[in-house]
């Protein structure tokens, strides 16, 4: 799914897949931090967003 | 081409006469030039209606599955045969009830391109080998077929049927391509914004008639996700996000199953190359699983099977 | 654990001096009763399982470590509590943890001001273990190496700046996945390992930092300073337990552990008394769990003919039909003591919940899981006519079944329940942002309520259980399991591919306790063959398995003949084998042999042994190497045992053992001690400086660098025994038959590393023996019994075994018959309906379905649904999250 | 075996081993008395934070 989204122009870093067991708290924190940093760097997404207004 | 049509008629007539099949699905001439359309015949006499030319771009596998439980014969090009394989694998057709009249495919022409070249309404279309003789009311041109091949046919590496009971005509030579996905590469080379723009422009004329879905042999669900209202997976209006969601999700439903037969594009009244969505997934299937759809009835598409050692580089 | 307060009578003013009495005044439940006294209750029972546990060693008497005096020297148990989120510091590691958190005394207050986050912590191994100088505990406590590594890793995870040091003699990580854990600690986590026994600890009077002094491997004295020292204290059997053992009349060893036979490892010296846990030799959790089940199996064998005579049937409560009724939701918000309420504003959360759609009732509870709260929940459901329940508390993984039981007691279908985790997912992670945490808790509750409103009662299918058992593998573990199952009345079939029963154990000479393996195995095989309930299939292979728990059909092939065996459960005890070494010139000379070859020579009293003047053993041959990163567990003890044997045969023989770490865990350590006393010479080598072996005419020449002298040493041996790695059979076909996983190395992966060590995640399939991990005789027998016990609990439930309600279902109108579900399911649950109106469409076998949802996600037609997690429920949660309230 | 045996078992010790032994026995058809000297069952494991080598929570 990530591949086609990326192909359509959705930046790769906006979609993330991860396998974290309930015992891997540290990994969860690391992954979430990493993703939020990457997404923050990309700025708000304007693609594939429905405008309800 | 004529001997091939002759043979199709002969075989079809024979099968129907002997009662080996109830119906034969093939192509018949349409009411206007180049508009060949699918036809199902059930008598020996009607076999004379069958034809075959470079304008038979629709995929007949789509019609075969609608005849579940009956013994039928289908005229199949390379891609049709691959979709028949998919249908056998996906339990849509019983191989025992199916007789495949295989036709080595000469490649189908791009009707939009010819129409654009000719300008006016086309009143006549003939072909002699690689020469297409096309006429309008006030013009007549001889065109080189290779210049007017459909894009998917120009990249086709499975012109000969992969599964058949009888083959009409000699097998044609399959082409060897260095790169089977130059179009995907071209899109991949764009920036993220460039790619987004490409797809935005691609689908801007979509009227959501679902002709692409209807022409596609892979789309046989009793209720399509776009028609579902509980839950409503995708909005039903012309909102651009919903249009894109439709194309995006439809492409996914074809992942690992699409034979790039081009029926979707052939059917689109707005001339949208929706293959830009599916081709990327075909390339991924090839790169990640070494998979091309519809080549064998012994294996299911990679995304249909559970394997603990699937590639999972995307999971971090 | 029941969270009930009790009065400590030794310090209670009311009981001691008849003053105070405040607790009785303030207790709203009138639960205080000062008149309760000790009562003696006499129980009549058919047998006893004695599992008294251990006491962590008390290091106060060690003056060199000053545990009693220095505030920064703690025991591993105390450190464990420091790391724990439910501990005194809520998981925050700080120095001087032994002081009260809010000290009252003046001196303590002054000390507490010097508290800091430690940056350097040292663990001292073998405190109260392997020590005859300062205490009498010669044995190894088996668990301390691993727990120290664990504590160091967790502490480092809490604070990446931390520098943990572990001071050890031998790293003993011989358990499953342990060696990798140890290597990861070194390589990935940056834990420092120092091979040294620390002599003493002194304290900086001002900062209370600790200075330690030790001799490093080269004999150099090193001084270093740490913020904290953790003493990895051993496990000890307290006097009280020894007294009780004496009362029970069971034999114990010098160290207070129970004496057991290797082949009956949970049976005490007295009939009808069985033992388990650390009292039956030091062990970790999974081994204690195995012991527990094994003791149950042994006690059950003893009482086989009176099984089921005293049990009582549970009362069945009529289920209320709620279909068609509008949802009436009850919300229970749990404070979890201060775990949740300390962060989340639970009263306002409860008020908020009351306002949500369909919520009829909401209340806050101190501990939702407490028995009295549960009773109240049942009462409230009945009184208010609630038909859906939401509990906002901790994790459903541990507590959902408990709440569901209360649902059932109140006459509600247990799937009308929804749990949301406002502790682990909320109060624990957002403890510094109570306001945001409260908002998030509201979101979570709102989502749970939205989902619960759509919950439907789900039916569970009854599973019929075939009484027959199939045991694959006729080795020690398999035979032990079969014997117990047959004794308790179940027809048992043993499938063995060889022509004889006994397996690899037949190649062993003696156990670590000196029992003759050959004799014992012969007796066991004779028992098996005499047992009417057991059918032995030798020269037989398993060629296919169909079915599921309670209803397996296996294809057995013997000499070209195929038979089908129907059975309800299966025990996989396929064992392991000895690997063929590729190093140390193995195969070039008949003086270079494997451990099992030496066993054979000893068994047969081979005359060649008499001429051996110098015998060398090399350990870790093929184990703890990149391609086999695990420790083979048994080789250290085995080689030492054989070394002792050689020394005893001829004290003049020079015996050398070349090792990396000696891993004689538990009382096996005494063998190591004995070997040294007998003059066996132990030389350690590093993995990157392995011994070199050269075959010469008169001797096998072995060269290695001595770690003490740092000089090359040359030994001319006339017998070189290689402790070759134990290798799993890596039977992928068998694993596939039963849909059970193999790990990277090819050992079977059990259901749960701690709590399910003798069973698979696949219901009705159990595991025992070295196919699970290399293990010595007593452990293989224990696991054999444990697997039998686990199987017995399933077989005994015969009439009350149900599937889960959360399984996939098919909307057959929508099914396109494409077969993706059939193809993609790892459990073979979907199939095509054979007849009826929807013939050809998919249907789910509820017994096989695990509710994983793979088919649901893969269905293009939207025909598949997961009960209890239906699309509309998921959507309702998502929309509820999006709602701006 | 004589038939005067009682179909019940006393399990002494409410640690992880005792608890699970009691559960197995109860689930396989025996009446079980679980005896623990402390005020609650759970033993040492309940006091641990995490367990090796999976680092699972011990509770």
């Amino acid at each position: 799914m990530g591949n086609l989204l990326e192909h359509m122009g959705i930046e790769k870093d906006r979609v993330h897949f991860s396998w974290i067991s309930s015992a891997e708290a540290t990994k969860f924190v690391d992954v979430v931090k990493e993703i939020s940093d990457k997404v923050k760097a990309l700025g708000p997404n304007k693609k594939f967003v429905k405008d309800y207004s | 081409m004529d001997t091939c049509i002759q043979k199709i008629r002969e075989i079809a007539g024979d099968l129907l006469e002997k009662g080996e099949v109830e119906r034969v699905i093939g192509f018949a001439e349409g009411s206007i030039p180049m508009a060949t359309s699918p036809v199902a015949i059930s008598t020996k006499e009607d076999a004379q209606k069958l034809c075959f030319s470079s304008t038979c771009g629709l995929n007949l596998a789509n019609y075969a599955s609608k005849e579940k439980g009956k013994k039928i014969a289908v005229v199949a090009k390379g891609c049709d045969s691959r979709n028949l394989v998919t249908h056998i694998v996906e339990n849509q057709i019983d191989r025992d009830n199916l007789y495949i009249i295989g036709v080595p495919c000469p490649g189908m022409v791009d009707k939009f391109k010819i129409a654009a070249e000719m300008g006016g309404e086309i009143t006549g279309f003939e072909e002699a080998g690689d020469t297409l003789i096309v006429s309008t009311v006030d013009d007549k041109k001889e065109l080189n077929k290779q210049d007017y091949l459909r894009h998917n046919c120009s990249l086709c590496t499975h012109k000969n049927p992969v599964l058949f009971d009888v083959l009409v005509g000699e097998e044609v030579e399959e082409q060897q391509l260095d790169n089977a996905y130059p179009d995907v590469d071209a899109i991949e080379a764009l920036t993220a914004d460039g790619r987004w723009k490409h797809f935005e422009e691609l689908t801007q004329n979509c009227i959501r008639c679902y002709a692409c879905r209807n022409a596609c042999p892979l789309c046989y669900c009793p209720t399509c996700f776009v028609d579902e209202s509980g839950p409503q997976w995708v909005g039903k209006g012309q909102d651009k996000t919903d249009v894109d969601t439709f194309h995006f999700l439809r492409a996914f439903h074809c992942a690992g199953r699409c034979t790039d037969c081009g029926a979707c594009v052939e059917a689109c009244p707005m001339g949208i190359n929706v293959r830009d969505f599916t081709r990327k997934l075909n390339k991924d299937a090839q790169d990640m699983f070494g998979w091309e759809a519809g080549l064998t009835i012994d294996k299911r598409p990679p995304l249909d099977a559970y394997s603990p050692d699937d590639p999972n580089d995307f999971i971090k | 654990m029941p969270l009930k307060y009790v009065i400590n009578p030794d310090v209670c003013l009311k009981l001691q001096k008849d003053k105070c009495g405040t607790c009785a005044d303030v207790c709203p439940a009138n639960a205080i009763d000062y008149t309760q006294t000790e009562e003696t209750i006499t129980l009549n029972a058919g047998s006893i399982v004695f599992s008294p546990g251990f006491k962590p060693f008390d290091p106060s008497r060690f003056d060199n470590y000053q545990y009693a005096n220095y505030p920064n020297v703690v025991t591993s148990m105390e450190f464990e509590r420091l790391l724990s989120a439910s501990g005194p510091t809520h998981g925050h590691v700080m120095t001087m943890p032994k002081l009260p958190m809010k000290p009252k005394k003046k001196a303590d207050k002054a000390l507490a001001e010097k508290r800091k986050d430690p940056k350097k912590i040292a663990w001292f191994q073998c405190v109260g273990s392997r020590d005859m100088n300062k205490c009498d505990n010669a044995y190894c406590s088996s668990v301390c190496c691993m727990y120290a590594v664990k504590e160091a890793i967790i502490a480092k995870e809490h604070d990446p700046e931390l520098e943990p040091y572990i001071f050890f003699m031998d790293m003993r990580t011989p358990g499953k996945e342990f060696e990798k854990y140890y290597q990861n600690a070194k390589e990935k986590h940056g834990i420092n390992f120092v091979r040294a026994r620390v002599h003493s600890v002194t304290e900086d009077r001002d900062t209370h930092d600790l200075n330690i002094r030790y001799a490093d491997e080269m004999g150099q004295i090193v001084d270093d300073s740490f913020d904290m020292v953790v003493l990895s204290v051993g496990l000890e059997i307290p006097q009280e337990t020894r007294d009780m053992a004496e009362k029970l009349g069971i034999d114990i060893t010098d160290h207070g552990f129970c004496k057991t036979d290797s082949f009956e490892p949970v049976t005490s010296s007295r009939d009808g008394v069985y033992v388990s846990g650390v009292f039956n030799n030091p062990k970790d959790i999974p081994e204690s769990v195995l012991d527990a089940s094994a003791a149950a199996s042994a006690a059950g064998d003893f009482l086989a003919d009176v099984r089921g005579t005293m049990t009582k049937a549970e009362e069945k409560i009529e289920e209320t039909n709620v279909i068609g009724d509008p949802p009436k939701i009850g919300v229970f918000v749990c404070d979890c003591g201060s775990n949740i309420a300390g962060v989340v504003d639970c009263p306002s959360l409860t008020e908020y919940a009351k306002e949500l759609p369909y919520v009829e009732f909401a209340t806050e509870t101190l501990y939702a899981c407490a028995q009295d709260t549960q009773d109240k929940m049942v009462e409230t459901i009945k009184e208010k006519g609630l038909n859906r329940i939401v509990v906002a508390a901790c994790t459903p993984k541990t507590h959902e079944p408990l709440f569901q039981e209360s649902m059932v007691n109140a006459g509600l279908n247990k799937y009308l329940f929804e749990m949301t985790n406002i502790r682990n997912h909320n109060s624990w992670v957002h403890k510094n942002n109570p306001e945001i945490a409260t908002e998030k808790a509201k979101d979570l509750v709102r989502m749970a309520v939205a989902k619960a409103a759509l919950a439907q009662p789900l039916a569970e299918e009854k599973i019929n259980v075939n009484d027959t058992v199939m045991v694959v593998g006729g080795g020690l573990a398999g035979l032990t399991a079969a014997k117990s199952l047959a004794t308790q009345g179940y027809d048992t079939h043993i499938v063995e591919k060889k022509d004889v029963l006994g397996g690899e154990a037949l190649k062993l000479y003696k156990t670590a306790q000196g029992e003759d393996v050959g004799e014992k195995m012969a007796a066991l095989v004779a028992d098996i063959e005499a047992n009417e309930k057991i059918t032995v299939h030798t020269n037989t292979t398993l060629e296919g398995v169909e079915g599921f728990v309670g209803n397996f059909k296996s294809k057995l092939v013997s000499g070209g003949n195929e038979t089908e065996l129907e059975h309800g459960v299966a025990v996989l005890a396929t064992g392991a084998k000895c690997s063929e070494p590729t190093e140390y010139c193995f195969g070039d000379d008949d003086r270079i042999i494997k451990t099992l070859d030496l066993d054979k020579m000893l068994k047969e009293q081979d005359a060649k042994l008499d001429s051996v003047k110098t015998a060398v053993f090399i350990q870790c041959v093929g184990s703890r190497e990149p391609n086999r990163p695990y420790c083979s567990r048994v080789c250290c003890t085995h080689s030492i045992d054989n070394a002792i044997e050689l020394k005893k045969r001829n004290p003049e023989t020079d015996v050398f053992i070349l090792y990396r770490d000696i891993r004689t865990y538990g009382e096996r350590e005494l063998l190591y001690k004995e070997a040294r006393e007998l003059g066996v010479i132990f030389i350690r080598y590093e993995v990157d400086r392995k011994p070199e072996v050269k075959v010469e005419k008169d001797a096998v020449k072995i060269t290695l660098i001595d770690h003490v002298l740092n000089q090359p040493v040359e030994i001319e041996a006339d017998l070189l025994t290689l402790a070759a790695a134990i290798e799993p059979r890596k039977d992928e076909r068998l694993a596939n038959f039963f849909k059970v996983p193999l790990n990277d190395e090819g050992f079977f992966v059990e259901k749960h590393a701690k709590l399910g060590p003798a069973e698979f995640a696949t219901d009705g399939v159990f595991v025992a023996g070295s196919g699970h991990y290399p293990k010595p005789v007593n452990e293989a027998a224990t696991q054999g019994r444990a697997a039998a016990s686990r199987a017995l609990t399933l077989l005994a439930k015969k009439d009350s075994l149900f599937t889960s309600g959360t399984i996939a279902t098919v909307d057959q109108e929508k099914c396109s018959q494409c077969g993706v579900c059939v193809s993609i399911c790892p459990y073979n649950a979907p199939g095509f309906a054979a007849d009826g109106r929807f013939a050809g469409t998919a249907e789910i076998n509820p017994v096989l379905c695990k509710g994983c949802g793979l088919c649901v996600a893969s269905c293009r037609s939207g025909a598949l649904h997961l009960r209890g997690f239906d699309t509309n429920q998921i959507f309702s949660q998502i929309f509820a999250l999006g709602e701006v309230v | 075996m004589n038939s005067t045996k009682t179909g019940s078992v006393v399990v002494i010790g409410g640690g992880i081993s005792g608890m699970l032994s009691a559960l197995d026995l109860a689930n396989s058809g025996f009446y079980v008395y679980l005896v623990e000297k402390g005020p609650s069952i759970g033993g040492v494991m309940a006091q641990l934070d995490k367990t090796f080598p999976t680092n699972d929570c011990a509770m």
Side-chain angles (χ1 to χ4, degrees), chain C residues 46 150 181 293 302 754 790, chain D residues 5 8 24 29 50 52 55:
Chain C
K150 173 199 73 178
Y181 192 75
S293 288
F302 183 68
K754 297 281 142 208
R790 300 304 299 147
Chain D
K5 282 178 186 166
S8 65
D24 268 14
K50 304 273 168 54
F52 56 78
N55 288 358

Side-chain angles (χ1 to χ4, degrees), chain A residues 1-20 27 31 34-35 38 42 45-53, chain B residues 183-185 187-188 191-193 195-197 199 234-236 239-242 244-245 247-248 251-252 276-278 280-281 284 288 314-316:
Chain A
M1 185 147 92
N3 282 3
L4 186 60
L5 276 172
E6 193 195 349
H7 194 62
M8 286 174 67
I10 309 294
E11 294 85 349
K12 200 182 181 81
D13 288 342
R14 288 195 198 276
V15 188
H16 202 99
F17 294 82
S18 210
W19 182 274
I20 308 170
K27 184 177 173 192
V31 170
E34 189 192 324
I35 301 168
K38 280 182 178 168
L42 286 168
N45 179 34
K46 293 198 179 64
K47 298 161 189 168
F48 236 138
V49 180
K50 198 162 183 173
D51 184 4
Y52 282 98
S53 62
Chain B
D183 50 332
V184 180
D185 292 348
I187 297 173
E188 276 173 358
T191 62
D193 287 337
R195 295 197 294 271
W196 181 248
K197 194 161 157 263
F199 281 98
V234 49
K236 295 183 191 301
D239 187 285
K240 198 66 180 50
T241 309
D242 292 328
D244 289 341
T245 304
H247 286 291
F248 181 69
F252 265 110
D276 274 354
F277 290 96
T278 49
K280 166 66 179 165
L281 293 169
D284 284 352
M288 293 164 76
F314 65 96
I315 298 174
K316 283 171 213 157

Side-chain angles (χ1 to χ4, degrees), chain C residues 23-264:
Chain C
C23 49
D25 294 342
V26 298
C27 177
N30 290 325
I32 308 290
D33 178 4
Y34 298 112
T35 61
Q36 279 185 351
T37 48
E38 271 192 2
E39 288 176 66
T40 304
I41 304 168
T42 309
L43 299 174
N44 279 316
S47 67
I48 293 175
V49 173
F50 191 45
S51 177
F54 63 94
K55 243 179 72 179
F57 179 80
D58 178 4
S60 307
R61 57 183 130 141
F62 284 11
D63 53 0
N64 56 338
Y65 293 154
Q66 293 287 345
Y67 166 74
N69 300 320
Y70 295 163
N72 285 326
V73 178
V74 299
T75 66
S76 46
M77 209 48 217
E78 287 164 336
F79 196 77
E80 195 77 40
R81 295 308 298 154
L82 272 188
L83 290 173
S84 170
S86 60
T89 58
H90 305 286
H92 182 84
V93 177
M94 56 171 85
T95 57
M96 308 191 199
K98 287 186 282 185
L99 291 179
M101 280 306 112
K102 285 177 188 145
K104 292 211 178 73
K105 284 185 203 153
K106 216 174 172 185
D108 286 354
K109 269 188 186 166
L111 257 180
E113 275 171 22
K114 291 182 184 164
R115 271 203 172 118
K116 59 183 176 185
D117 294 349
K119 288 291 163 226
K120 226 171 143 189
I121 304 181
W123 275 261
F124 294 175
Q125 297 308 105
C126 298
V127 177
S129 309
R130 301 181 68 188
D131 188 352
M132 292 295 281
N133 297 327
K134 296 202 183 64
C135 63
D136 299 323
N137 299 345
Y139 58 87
C140 160
S141 290
S142 301
V143 299
C144 328
C145 283
M146 278 301 285
Y147 77 56
V149 176
K150 173 199 73 178
E151 289 182 353
I153 289 177
I154 307 269
K156 177 103 181 162
E157 276 181 354
H158 280 295
D159 179 4
E161 304 284 298
L162 182 74
E163 291 177 54
Y165 283 76
I166 296 181
F167 292 87
F168 68 100
M169 301 201 292
D170 292 284
M171 263 331 266
R172 297 198 165 166
T173 53
K176 192 173 185 178
E177 307 286 335
F178 288 9
E179 182 70 17
K180 266 190 264 177
Y181 192 75
Y182 167 41
Q183 295 305 330
N184 275 346
K186 263 198 283 199
E187 285 149 25
K188 280 199 195 150
H189 298 277
I191 315 288
N192 304 291
F193 288 87
V194 185
R195 200 181 286 269
R197 192 144 196 169
V198 178
H199 174 261
S200 58
V201 179
T202 55
E203 188 187 46
D204 180 311
R205 281 214 183 150
D206 187 37
T207 61
H208 298 279
D209 289 348
L210 303 164
N211 299 309
I212 68 167
R213 167 168 282 217
Y214 62 93
D216 72 7
E217 279 196 81
M218 311 311 284
Q220 302 281 354
I221 298 294
V222 182
D223 287 296
D224 202 352
S225 161
F226 288 86
D227 300 318
M228 244 175 145
V229 165
V230 182
L231 304 179
S232 294
V233 292
L235 316 181
E236 203 174 47
I237 301 301
Q239 188 54 44
E240 191 186 1
T241 302
R242 296 180 190 226
D243 295 345
M244 215 146 117
E246 200 187 324
K247 263 189 232 160
L248 281 169
I250 57 180
D251 295 345
I252 54 174
T253 66
D254 292 347
H255 297 104
F257 299 107
C258 188
K259 269 192 191 158
T260 52
D261 181 292
S262 298
F263 291 80
E264 283 297 353

Side-chain angles (χ1 to χ4, degrees), chain C residues 806-822:
Chain C
T806 38
I807 54 168
T809 54
V810 185
D811 178 347
Q812 291 178 305
E813 299 264 6
K814 283 192 180 155
C815 175
S816 69
Q817 313 184 8
C818 71
V820 168
C821 49
V822 178

Side-chain angles (χ1 to χ4, degrees), chain C residues 1 44-49 51 80-81 83 150 181 240 276-277 288 292-293 301-302 307-308 310 754 789-790, chain D residues 1 5-6 8-13 17-18 21 24-25 27-30 33 37 41 47 49-50 52-53 55:
Chain C
M1 330 303 148
N44 279 316
S47 67
I48 293 175
V49 173
S51 177
E80 195 77 40
R81 295 308 298 154
L83 290 173
K150 173 199 73 178
Y181 192 75
E240 191 186 1
S276 79
S288 298
S293 288
D301 284 5
F302 183 68
R307 193 157 70 92
M310 283 187 65
K754 297 281 142 208
S789 174
R790 300 304 299 147
Chain D
M1 290 207 184
K5 282 178 186 166
T6 311
S8 65
V9 182
V10 172
V11 176
I12 303 170
S17 200
S21 201
D24 268 14
L25 282 162
N27 282 328
S28 57
F30 298 98
Y33 304 95
K37 126 184 103 124
I41 55 171
Q47 296 172 45
D49 174 36
K50 304 273 168 54
F52 56 78
N55 288 358

